[in-house]
Amino acid sequence: MRSLRYTKDQFEDVLGQTERYVRQNPGQAIVYAFAIGYVLNRLPVGRLISGVLKLSVSALKPAILIYGATKLYQAANDE
């Protein structure tokens, strides 16, 4: 619960700093926003996310097997 509060406070702080920067430098903020949007539009973000998800799913099966083997080993040692 404490880490959630810390993360929320940090996010609000960054949001406030961003808002102050945009109010002080509106033209530069628009240029930055356009540049970031252009770069993100050119990146194959969908394919990257899809690849990460496929990799995660394929890595999940061995992870579950290792977890089960560990629990089985612990149960055997307890008895």
Side-chain angles (χ1 to χ4, degrees):
M1 189 69 175
R2 180 184 269 172
S3 62
L4 181 64
R5 174 52 106 172
Y6 175 77
T7 304
K8 183 180 176 191
D9 290 343
Q10 291 296 323
F11 180 75
E12 289 174 355
D13 187 38
V14 168
L15 195 60
Q17 289 175 0
T18 304
E19 184 178 352
R20 283 191 298 278
Y21 179 81
V22 169
R23 288 183 189 274
Q24 292 172 355
N25 306 306
Q28 198 172 17
I30 289 174
V31 170
Y32 287 154
F34 178 77
I36 291 170
Y38 181 79
V39 169
L40 288 177
N41 188 30
R42 292 293 176 198
L43 289 176
V45 176
R47 282 188 272 164
L48 288 174
I49 292 172
S50 173
V52 168
L53 286 175
K54 287 179 184 177
L55 183 63
S56 298
V57 167
S58 65
L60 186 63
K61 292 175 186 176
I64 291 172
L65 180 64
I66 292 169
Y67 178 74
T70 305
K71 288 296 183 181
L72 186 62
Y73 178 74
Q74 287 176 349
N77 278 343
D78 287 344
E79 292 180 11

